[in-house]
Amino acid sequence: MILTVTLNTALDLTYGVPELVPHASHRVSEMSERPGGKGLNVARVLSALGHRTVVTGFAGGATGAALRELLAGLSPQEPADPGAPGTAPAPITDALVTVAGNTRRTIAVVDRATGDTTQLNEPGPLVTADEWAALLGRYEELLAGADAVALCGSLPPGIHVGAYAELVRSARTAGVPVLLDTSGEPLRRGIAARPDLIKPNADELAQLTGSREPMRATRDARRRGAHGVIASLGPDGMLAVTPDGIWQAAPPARVLGNPTGAGDSAVAGLLSGLVEGLSWPDRLRRAVALSTATVLSPTAGDFDRAAYEELLPRVGIEEHTPAAR
């Protein structure tokens, strides 16, 4: 089982408009809603890959109830064959902690003329000390059955900035590999707790290290405490600096599309490859293929299965020499 933690879950609303014009009224041509927040997005991709996943974090109010109802609709009745191409989805188990506040909404407005997306993100509910304590107890219980854990996304109001560091230490004490995917001060604090992996994008990496040169910044991030750093370089793929070596993976060609959720798909690829015991090059191939297939998907945040299977063997891998490490 793979555990994902989303402290600031969201109900994702997507509105499509023919053209987004500032200061104007718009007629929505299409609308969708789904359970969101980075860890829930990761869980959805893991499920599609055939991995049984448990999600925890916070949910509350009418929005939280709607999120949980949609989440229940994602879970299939029959388990799948983990990692098999074309496999049926695997179960997603709801282990969210109920809070008094109302779960946030995120609103994406997609301009169909240009493909550009404008995102509006609410801050999330105020979480009390008792609710945080309940989450910690739930998390400790779930770690006992986890093969890996992903800690993902922003912190809701009321949660201390060192929360992810606390969760990383608990996972390491339990002997469960932990991937941290957040930004800003929560990432800075969390990396000091020595997670097995972090997956910053180029902007997050620059904010952490002060450098925009990918190799220098990624190696600097690893010196700060993470065992492995997987830097997401957008259309240029991913750079991995790990105890076993340094690799760069890139899609066969640049693609146009909506990048929403591409980073979460990459996290799912890395985690699934970890629990399946894949080599680093194969983990990176999967992560880049999934990320690219998400950009190509007609539905924001989902990956195009046919594109993923076509891209997977075509992802380029470059191994850096030992002298570059």
Side-chain angles (χ1 to χ4, degrees), residues 79-153:
D81 176 18
T87 188
I92 300 175
T93 300
D94 177 353
L96 296 168
V97 172
T98 301
V99 295
N102 202 36
T103 294
R104 67 184 178 133
R105 296 165 299 175
T106 66
I107 301 172
V109 182
V110 181
D111 183 330
R112 296 303 182 193
T114 64
D116 292 338
T117 300
T118 299
Q119 191 85 14
L120 304 173
N121 296 330
E122 295 179 351
L126 178 66
V127 178
T128 68
D130 286 344
E131 289 165 346
W132 172 242
L135 183 282
L136 289 177
R138 179 75 53 85
Y139 178 68
E140 297 279 355
E141 293 172 359
L142 293 170
L143 282 175
D147 298 310
V149 58
L151 309 174
C152 303

Side-chain angles (χ1 to χ4, degrees), residues 47-324:
S47 169
L49 293 172
H51 284 274
R52 187 170 67 87
T53 309
V54 176
V55 298
T56 194
F58 299 111
T63 308
L67 179 152
R68 297 180 90 155
E69 183 176 351
L70 290 168
L71 184 61
L74 293 178
S75 191
Q77 299 302 309
E78 297 296 332
D81 176 18
T87 188
I92 300 175
T93 300
D94 177 353
L96 296 168
V97 172
T98 301
V99 295
N102 202 36
T103 294
R104 67 184 178 133
R105 296 165 299 175
T106 66
I107 301 172
V109 182
V110 181
D111 183 330
R112 296 303 182 193
T114 64
D116 292 338
T117 300
T118 299
Q119 191 85 14
L120 304 173
N121 296 330
E122 295 179 351
L126 178 66
V127 178
T128 68
D130 286 344
E131 289 165 346
W132 172 242
L135 183 282
L136 289 177
R138 179 75 53 85
Y139 178 68
E140 297 279 355
E141 293 172 359
L142 293 170
L143 282 175
D147 298 310
V149 58
L151 309 174
C152 303
S154 62
L155 300 178
I159 297 296
H160 65 95
V161 74
Y164 279 133
E166 188 173 353
L167 297 179
V168 168
R169 286 191 292 268
S170 294
R172 291 186 55 78
T173 299
V176 178
V178 55
L179 184 152
L180 176 62
D181 186 15
T182 188
S183 60
E185 192 60 23
L187 174 59
R188 193 179 304 277
R189 300 283 186 93
I191 199 174
R194 302 186 63 79
D196 294 272
L197 292 174
I198 63 169
K199 194 215 66 64
N201 61 32
D203 289 340
E204 293 162 351
L205 197 58
Q207 185 180 21
L208 176 69
T209 67
S211 174
R212 284 199 169 271
E213 198 288 308
M215 182 66 74
R216 178 182 302 168
T218 305
R219 295 175 73 174
D220 183 9
R222 184 164 181 258
R223 284 193 293 268
R224 292 168 184 257
H227 289 267
V229 180
I230 317 300
S232 178
L233 306 178
D236 294 324
M238 306 185 82
L239 174 63
V241 178
T242 80
D244 302 314
I246 300 176
W247 291 270
Q248 189 155 358
R254 294 200 172 205
V255 299
L256 297 176
N258 188 345
T260 301
D264 302 328
S265 292
V267 169
L270 293 169
L271 275 182
S272 61
L274 169 66
V275 301
E276 291 173 36
L278 299 185
S279 66
W280 270 111
D282 285 342
R283 294 185 210 178
L284 292 170
R285 282 191 185 94
R286 180 178 290 181
V288 169
L290 281 169
S291 179
T292 306
T294 300
V295 174
L296 291 170
S297 173
T299 303
D302 290 333
F303 73 94
D304 185 309
R305 168 75 69 173
Y308 163 64
E309 294 178 5
E310 190 273 333
L311 284 163
L312 186 59
R314 300 175 57 218
V315 172
I317 298 288
E318 177 187 358
E319 182 173 9
H320 290 258
T321 63

